[in-house]
């Protein structure tokens, strides 16, 4: 059994990263607590969406606006990005070549950006078909939930770019390591939220 104490839920760096391992006890655990507030927000928006699902006001509904193939592509991009971020986290923990870590992070970033580009295309297509937020309560609830997730992915991508800059300038110092650990929590959290969106909004809407 390992004698390394568990400082917080999730990946712990261990004694090989002594300073970062100690610093993560409060930083990463605190970030877990912060993410619970995001979970409450998304929970409320999911509930609102379910409540407004039938409120199309004579406008287009899920069956007319959603394409399951497109949503599946977006889901695949995010799930693969979760895997690549996991590989980056393992590369960080086990002190592999920095190029390997950066490579996994760059692939993660590209997958996140591809997801955003695909989602923006879907929104544009919905707009051209009359699916604008002001058209009905259903569409207002949809555009409150799904784009908010996209904004989170955008923020996470910007954060990842900033961390790549930190690695280039400062190397893998304690701040960079704890930053990557916290971003990993956010990234995986957004994947879980998207699974909920894919299941409830897209699968439920096209069933």
């Amino acid at each position: 059994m390992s004698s390394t104490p568990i400082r917080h839920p999730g990946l712990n760096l261990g004694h090989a990263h002594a300073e970062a391992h100690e610093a993560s006890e409060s930083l990463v655990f605190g970030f877990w607590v912060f993410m619970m507030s995001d979970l409450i927000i998304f929970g409320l928006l999911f509930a609102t969406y379910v409540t407004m699902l039938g409120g199309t006001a004579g406008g287009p509904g899920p069956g007319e606006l959603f394409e399951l193939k497109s949503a599946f592509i977006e889901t695949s991009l995010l799930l693969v990005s979760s895997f690549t971020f996991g590989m980056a986290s393992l590369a960080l923990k086990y002190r592999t070549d920095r190029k390997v870590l950066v490579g996994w992070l760059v692939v993660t970033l590209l997958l996140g950006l591809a997801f955003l580009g695909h989602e923006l295309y879907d929104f544009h297509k919905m707009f051209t078909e009359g699916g604008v937020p002001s058209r009905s309560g259903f569409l207002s609830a949809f555009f409150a939930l799904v784009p908010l997730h996209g904004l989170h992915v955008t923020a996470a991508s910007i954060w990842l770019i900033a961390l790549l800059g930190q690695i280039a300038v400062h190397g893998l110092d304690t701040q960079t390591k704890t930053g990557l650990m916290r971003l990993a929590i956010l990234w995986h959290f957004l994947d879980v939220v998207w699974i909920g969106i894919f299941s409830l909004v897209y699968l439920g809407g096209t069933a």
Side-chain angles (χ1 to χ4, degrees), residues 119-198:
E119 188 172 60
L120 286 173
Y121 172 78
D122 280 352
F123 292 159
H124 172 73
K125 190 170 182 292
M126 289 179 64
F127 272 56
T128 60
E129 295 174 356
V132 296
S134 60
R135 181 63 184 83
S136 65
F138 154 70
L139 285 166
S140 295
F142 172 86
F143 280 106
L145 171 62
V146 181
L148 179 64
H149 174 272
L151 286 175
H152 277 70
V153 176
T154 302
S157 298
I158 294 171
W159 189 0
L160 181 49
I161 293 171
L163 286 171
L164 286 169
Q166 279 187 261
I167 293 173
V169 175
H170 302 292
L172 289 172
D173 59 8
T174 297
Q175 287 187 338
T176 303
K177 291 176 182 178
T178 56
L180 285 171
M181 293 172 71
R182 284 174 286 175
L183 178 57
I185 294 170
L186 173 60
W187 202 277
H188 296 310
F189 168 79
L190 293 176
D191 285 354
V192 172
V193 172
W194 179 259
I195 291 172
I197 291 174
F198 177 69

Side-chain angles (χ1 to χ4, degrees), residues 1-6 14-15 93:
M1 294 179 63
S2 172
S3 60
T4 302
I6 303 300
H15 288 316
K93 178 173 181 175

Side-chain angles (χ1 to χ4, degrees), residues 8 22 24 29 78 102-103 138 144 147 157 159 161 178:
H8 51 79
E22 293 293 329
S24 67
F29 183 79
L78 268 192
V102 171
F138 154 70
S157 298
W159 189 0
I161 293 171
T178 56

Side-chain angles (χ1 to χ4, degrees), residues 21-128:
H21 184 61
E22 293 293 329
S24 67
E25 181 170 10
S26 59
L27 290 173
V28 177
F29 183 79
F31 195 75
W32 274 102
V33 175
F34 168 74
M35 290 310 302
M36 293 306 99
S37 65
D38 242 16
L39 182 62
I40 292 171
I41 292 171
F42 276 109
L44 291 171
L45 290 175
F46 273 115
T48 302
Y49 177 81
V50 171
T51 302
M52 300 301 296
L53 190 56
T56 58
E64 293 81 27
L65 295 172
F66 300 159
E67 290 186 9
L68 192 56
K69 178 181 178 181
S70 180
F72 179 77
I73 292 172
E74 292 165 13
T75 303
S76 299
L77 289 169
L78 268 192
L79 291 180
V80 174
S81 77
S82 191
F83 170 78
T84 57
F85 211 133
M87 295 301 294
S89 297
L90 292 176
L92 173 64
K93 178 173 181 175
Y94 295 109
R95 304 172 72 92
T96 56
D97 189 332
R98 187 189 301 178
K99 292 180 180 178
V100 175
L101 169 62
V102 171
W104 284 117
L105 292 175
V106 169
V107 172
T108 302
L109 175 62
L110 292 176
L111 289 167
L113 294 176
F115 166 84
L116 290 171
H118 208 283
E119 188 172 60
L120 286 173
Y121 172 78
D122 280 352
F123 292 159
H124 172 73
K125 190 170 182 292
M126 289 179 64
F127 272 56
T128 60

